[in-house]
Amino acid sequence: RERERERESSGEGRETRVKEAMASRVGWMTVAGVLRGNGSVTQGFRLGGSRCLATSATSQSEARLSKAELAKLGPSDFERMTDGEVLDLVKAKVIPSYKLEAVLKDLDRAVMLRRMLVEEESKRPGSLADLAHEGYEYSSVHGACCENVVGYCAIPVGISGPLNIDGEMVHVPMATTEGVLVASTHRGMSALNKCGGVRTMETQAGGMTRAPLVRLPTATEAVAVKNWIEEPQNYVEVAAAFNSTSRFGRLVSITPILAGRNLYLRFRSKTGDAMGMNMVSKGVEEALRCVKQYFPNLEVCSVSGNVCTDKKSSAVNWTMGRGQSVIAEAVLTKNVVESVLKSSVKHVMELNVNKNLIGSAMAGTLGGFNAHAANIVAAIFIATGQDPAQVVESSSCITQFEENEDGSMYCSVSMPSIEVGTVGGGTHLPSQRAALRLLGISGSHTEAPGGNSKKLARVVAASVLAGELSLMSALAAGHLVRAHMEHNRR
């Protein structure tokens, strides 16, 4: 005790005391308590047979155990600790909160302890009570989808359809909190089914893009790099470097774009059934190393120069495409428009011109020539484990309704940048995996790599067409507000 008091008065670092305790330990034992937050030495914690003191004035760097020291604690050691004792270690900065899963080797307990810590630190006890956390497959989350996990958000999933898409009846899962969205999309699908369903087709060579920003000392040198890459034999060499990084990543094209001495190289690549951002980025890095061998002055400023363009609306995606470029089309008879959609061909067609085309042009929209494509895209994305942020560019869409000579209505949606995958990201999570299984496209296509992601893009486009038909008909007939008041109010 006298020795401990001497160390306390001398201000000897806690890290030293921890190491001395470790050196004399017989074995790691239960931590009895660290800090109680009153600024003084109130309790120690016992490591084997030694007792180590800690003060709230101890710096975070001194308080942290090294990786080697933490590694000596096994799951059985933490199993013997109470929840309060583990939380004391977190509060004392001995264990970082974000490392609870790695240290405890018990994912469920780590989530529970972090919830307790957050509620205590925020001074809002019980605030997370309604956030679900039990019974989840956290092994699919840890190290892959989310950090500092405290639970999971349950979003209702409804089914629209089935919809006849290219001759196949497809049930479409939609995760949403917007009342009437699923019902409205389902109504559009019913109308389409009565007229033979939807036809879909790819319009461009699909592929995920990444456009690194490289800089040269002068614009003259930047032009030289551009010209060099455009030479067929040089492109083949760069493509070989790119393709060497993945089994499925295959370079399709490189589009150089100049701005002064800045050079943006828009790589487009096949990525199998993955959405493919990480795959393409990895290939881009290797390709740039190849180019730099011939142009040592080339400086790689960023693997992304915003000409990709990811998670932003852009003209380059609108005109050149990104991911999958799909058109979905159908022809509805006059009778179906009137009996199922409760409107008329003339009114729906006129509204589409004045709202979706002229109105969107007046607003200066970019790729937003539609009524609510993002609604359907977001609902399917969340249900199937896609990146919700990519709804921005994936919902770029122009909706067209035209009257045919026989009085029927031609309808289509053109969507040039649907960014989806059936492997990677959140597609392996339990609920999202179930939605993909329902669509028959979970995981990689066994015979044609990329086939499952292409089908998902077609499902998205066909469902958007159904949603556009239903909403535009409701607007033309003046039924929108009434429907929401009846079905979306409690």
Side-chain angles (χ1 to χ4, degrees):
R1 292 194 192 96
E2 288 178 1
R3 189 180 180 199
E4 287 171 349
R5 281 196 293 270
E6 289 174 3
R7 290 184 175 184
E8 178 188 347
S9 61
S10 67
E12 183 176 343
R14 179 174 175 279
E15 185 179 72
T16 301
R17 298 197 292 277
V18 168
K19 289 181 178 178
E20 286 188 4
M22 288 180 62
S24 62
R25 69 183 174 84
V26 175
W28 287 93
M29 301 295 288
T30 298
V31 175
V34 186
L35 294 175
R36 300 303 177 188
N38 61 1
S40 61
V41 178
T42 56
Q43 289 194 41
F45 60 91
R46 192 167 298 281
L47 304 176
S50 300
R51 184 171 181 270
C52 298
L53 298 178
T55 70
S56 58
T58 305
S59 71
Q60 290 187 15
S61 60
E62 289 175 331
R64 289 189 186 277
L65 294 178
S66 70
K67 290 182 179 179
E69 291 164 348
L70 275 176
K72 293 180 181 180
L73 281 172
S76 60
D77 297 304
F78 289 107
E79 286 175 5
R80 290 195 292 269
M81 296 182 192
T82 67
D83 292 342
E85 289 168 346
V86 176
L87 285 176
D88 280 340
L89 285 176
V90 176
K91 294 172 190 175
K93 310 300 182 184
V94 176
I95 301 174
S97 173
Y98 68 88
K99 282 189 175 180
L100 278 170
E101 285 84 356
V103 170
L104 298 180
K105 309 298 183 187
D106 185 337
L107 303 184
D108 292 279
R109 190 185 185 196
V111 171
M112 182 190 68
L113 291 176
R114 189 176 292 111
R115 290 165 66 95
M116 295 167 62
L117 181 69
V118 169
E119 287 189 344
E120 181 178 336
E121 289 181 344
S122 65
K123 296 181 173 59
R124 291 183 173 86
S127 58
L128 297 178
D130 291 330
L131 179 65
H133 70 96
E134 295 179 331
Y136 196 73
E137 192 178 293
Y138 288 112
S139 58
S140 297
V141 177
H142 180 56
C145 293
C146 188
E147 300 76 43
N148 291 331
V149 178
V150 293
Y152 58 94
C153 187
I155 299 176
V157 177
I159 297 294
S160 287
L163 173 61
N164 183 342
I165 304 175
D166 300 318
E168 179 185 356
M169 299 303 291
V170 179
H171 290 84
V172 181
M174 300 175 66
T176 182
T177 56
E178 181 178 340
V180 189
L181 177 61
V182 174
S184 177
T185 306
H186 182 83
R187 183 177 78 140
M189 291 181 178
S190 297
L192 289 165
N193 286 339
K194 289 181 180 296
C195 298
V198 182
R199 296 178 300 277
T200 65
M201 64 288 302
E202 296 178 68
T203 61
Q204 301 185 51
M208 182 48 60
T209 61
R210 179 59 94 189
L213 163 61
V214 300
R215 179 180 295 165
L216 283 299
T218 65
T220 301
E221 292 170 88
V223 171
V225 175
K226 170 185 177 295
N227 293 338
W228 184 87
I229 288 175
E230 290 177 335
E231 288 292 330
Q233 67 272 20
N234 299 331
Y235 172 83
V236 169
E237 183 176 351
V238 175
F242 182 102
N243 295 343
S244 69
T245 62
S246 169
R247 287 187 302 149
F248 298 104
R250 291 296 176 264
L251 190 63
V252 174
S253 64
I254 304 174
T255 304
I257 300 172
L258 285 161
R261 62 176 183 166
N262 288 352
L263 177 59
Y264 303 84
L265 299 170
R266 194 171 191 260
F267 288 74
R268 180 191 296 274
S269 170
K270 298 286 187 180
T271 56
D273 283 303
M275 182 271 288
M277 283 295 301
N278 292 335
M279 189 186 303
V280 176
S281 297
K282 183 179 176 182
V284 163
E285 288 185 338
E286 188 62 31
L288 291 179
R289 278 190 280 270
C290 173
V291 176
K292 196 172 174 63
Q293 292 177 358
Y294 296 93
F295 298 91
N297 288 336
L298 182 145
E299 174 191 0
V300 179
C301 299
S302 173
V303 73
S304 172
N306 269 12
V307 183
C308 312
T309 299
D310 189 40
K311 300 178 175 69
K312 292 166 282 292
S313 183
S314 71
V316 70
N317 287 352
W318 182 240
T319 57
M320 298 178 65
R322 188 171 197 251
Q324 309 291 340
S325 299
V326 180
I327 290 177
E329 67 176 1
V331 176
L332 296 187
T333 65
K334 177 182 177 182
N335 179 61
V336 166
V337 174
E338 294 175 351
S339 62
V340 179
L341 300 177
K342 309 301 182 185
S343 188
S344 69
V345 172
K346 177 183 178 183
H347 289 150
V348 174
M349 183 184 66
E350 287 182 350
L351 180 61
N352 186 66
V353 171
N354 290 298
K355 169 184 165 63
N356 288 344
L357 304 184
I358 298 175
S360 295
M362 293 301 294
T365 187
L366 185 60
F369 298 94
N370 58 81
H372 71 147
N375 246 341
I376 291 85
V377 174
I380 297 176
F381 269 36
I382 294 170
T384 60
Q386 310 306 308
D387 187 340
Q390 290 183 323
V391 171
V392 177
E393 62 268 38
S394 295
S395 59
S396 292
C397 168
I398 183 167
T399 299
Q400 294 173 262
F401 297 145
E402 303 170 34
E403 186 174 10
N404 294 321
E405 291 182 0
D406 62 359
S408 62
M409 183 170 71
Y410 172 83
C411 47
S412 69
V413 292
S414 300
M415 305 182 69
S417 52
I418 303 176
E419 299 166 5
V420 292
T422 58
V423 296
T427 62
H428 68 288
L429 296 175
S431 299
Q432 288 73 13
R433 190 168 62 236
L436 289 170
R437 280 201 299 264
L438 176 66
L439 292 168
I441 52 175
S442 179
S444 298
H445 195 288
T446 55
E447 298 176 358
N452 284 347
S453 61
K454 288 179 180 180
K455 180 178 177 181
L456 180 54
R458 290 169 180 259
V459 169
V460 169
S463 301
V464 167
L465 178 58
E468 290 288 278
L469 275 169
S470 187
L471 177 57
M472 290 299 291
S473 298
L475 287 170
H479 296 163
L480 177 67
V481 175
R482 186 181 70 191
H484 274 271
M485 292 301 101
E486 290 179 357
H487 301 287
N488 198 25
R489 304 281 289 186
R490 294 193 61 181

